[in-house]
Amino acid sequence: MELREWAMRIFTADCLEEKLLGVEGGLKNVTDHEPGVAIPWSRPPRPAHLQIASRDKQTKFPRPNALIKPEMRIRCLHTFANHELMALELMAWALLAFPEADRVFRLGLAKILMDEQEHFRLYCERLEEMGVTFGELPVNDNFWRAAADIHTPLDWVCTMHLTFEQSNLDHAPFYSQCFRRFEDEASAMLMQRIFEDEILHVRFGSRWLTHYQPPELSEFETFESCTTRFNPPHRARGPEFQTEARRRAGLSDAFIHSLQHWTPHDQKA
Ligand SMILES: [Fe+2]
Ligand SMILES: [Fe+2]
């Protein structure tokens, strides 16, 4: 199947089955002969039960100690499942938005899209085990809100891989430990599995950051220049900063140090 056709079907799908569309035989059966013209961002369709909830209907993300209660763990996992759904929709869009990007970049995105579909499936399965179907709780549009400011592959890399996914290098192990503390081993292991994949996704980001980096800027300055009010640099960090995971993701010590110590006062005007 052509990458564009696959991505288009996922991005324009109005049901979950189609959003989880695979490619028979996997990536080796994907071709990229006709990447087509660039498609600007617009919010993808969602089935009726997965429309973005208005602010007054959205639920608060639980505090760590509240995760002793199963219903709070469900709320937490439901939020993470929605992150995966938005991630896969965004990955599909990026394939449509950047037809002229390097072929290796596009194939890497396709692989990550498949991973995000799998993560979404795994969260849905875990929720079912806990007695809930995805969509029973309200969903937000956190990641979507940043998409309108993404215009180049470099913006993309800095927003998706180096902000949202990088923050998961801190969030995933943190919540894995929380679930374990409250003896929810299945959810703890799921977070650990996602963490390992996320390292590879951030690695993709760090590789292409270096590729697109202007020679006059450092890696961190390049990253910072692509951040917006929806994804300032501190959104690339989570509750406990994981230096080693970032090294495994190919980020330099200079980048890691700058991110760890960044404060909103450092924001360029
Ligand atoms: Fe994911
Ligand atoms: Fe990811």
Side-chain angles (χ1 to χ4, degrees), residues 12 75-76 80-81 95 105 110 115 142 157 176 181 222 233 235 249 251 262:
T12 59
R75 191 187 281 189
C76 184
F80 293 158
L95 285 167
F105 178 92
D115 287 349
N142 273 354
V157 161
S176 183
R181 182 147 50 95
T222 306
R235 279 201 73 183
L251 293 165
W262 191 90

Side-chain angles (χ1 to χ4, degrees), residues 80 83-85 87-88 91 112-113 115-120 123 143 160 165 168 194-195 197-198 201:
F80 293 158
H83 289 171
E84 302 293 347
L85 178 57
L88 78 86
M91 300 293 170
I112 296 174
L113 168 48
D115 287 349
E116 304 304 359
Q117 290 176 315
E118 179 64 8
H119 295 169
F120 177 66
Y123 276 120
F143 295 176
M160 196 63 206
E165 293 192 300
N168 212 14
I194 301 243
F195 171 66
D197 284 349
E198 209 73 290
H201 299 180

Side-chain angles (χ1 to χ4, degrees), residues 17-247:
E17 293 71 29
E18 187 83 348
K19 285 180 193 279
L20 294 176
L21 178 73
V23 178
E24 212 171 309
L27 257 193
K28 66 178 187 319
N29 286 347
V30 163
T31 53
D32 196 15
H33 303 309
E34 292 169 35
V37 293
I39 294 188
W41 168 255
S42 62
R43 291 176 168 234
R46 284 278 184 93
H49 68 296
L50 290 177
Q51 296 298 319
I52 306 302
S54 58
R55 275 193 178 268
D56 56 316
K57 297 231 169 55
Q58 285 184 16
T59 49
K60 275 200 166 151
F61 192 77
R63 292 184 178 281
N65 283 339
L67 298 177
I68 192 167
K69 296 181 185 160
E71 66 267 29
M72 289 297 144
R73 295 203 295 278
I74 286 169
R75 191 187 281 189
C76 184
L77 291 165
H78 197 280
T79 302
F80 293 158
N82 185 50
H83 289 171
E84 302 293 347
L85 178 57
M86 285 188 285
L88 78 86
E89 290 166 327
L90 281 160
M91 300 293 170
W93 171 66
L95 285 167
L96 301 170
F98 307 120
E100 287 167 9
D102 192 289
R103 198 179 150 272
V104 177
F105 178 92
R106 289 173 56 75
L107 279 177
L109 272 184
K111 165 73 176 85
I112 296 174
L113 168 48
M114 288 176 178
D115 287 349
E116 304 304 359
Q117 290 176 315
E118 179 64 8
H119 295 169
F120 177 66
R121 241 183 249 117
L122 291 169
Y123 276 120
C124 288
E125 279 172 24
R126 181 70 196 122
L127 284 166
E128 291 287 345
E129 285 168 6
M130 297 174 88
V132 167
T133 296
F134 180 70
E136 284 184 34
L137 302 182
V139 294
N140 66 42
D141 60 353
N142 273 354
F143 295 176
W144 281 4
R145 276 184 272 154
D149 290 326
I150 297 175
H151 303 291
T152 66
L154 179 60
D155 290 339
W156 165 262
V157 161
C158 291
T159 304
M160 196 63 206
H161 304 293
L162 294 178
T163 304
F164 297 138
E165 293 192 300
Q166 185 175 183
S167 78
N168 212 14
L169 299 186
D170 300 331
H171 285 108
F174 179 81
Y175 285 99
S176 183
Q177 277 177 20
C178 290
F179 291 139
R180 186 159 287 133
R181 182 147 50 95
F182 297 122
E183 296 177 0
D184 183 346
E185 188 58 24
S187 300
M189 282 171 62
L190 172 54
M191 300 309 298
Q192 185 62 33
R193 148 86 203 260
I194 301 243
F195 171 66
E196 292 298 327
D197 284 349
E198 209 73 290
I199 289 175
L200 300 177
H201 299 180
V202 179
R203 187 173 249 296
F204 174 89
S206 61
R207 175 191 171 177
W208 290 97
L209 173 70
T210 317
H211 177 88
Y212 290 119
Q213 177 187 352
E216 69 279 12
L217 296 182
S218 71
E219 287 170 12
F220 191 79
E221 287 166 342
T222 306
F223 164 70
E224 201 180 8
S225 73
C226 293
T227 55
T228 70
R229 68 198 164 106
F230 293 114
N231 65 316
H234 59 83
R235 279 201 73 183
R237 304 185 302 230
E240 287 173 6
F241 194 83
Q242 303 290 330
T243 299
E244 199 45 44
R246 287 176 168 82
R247 287 196 182 121

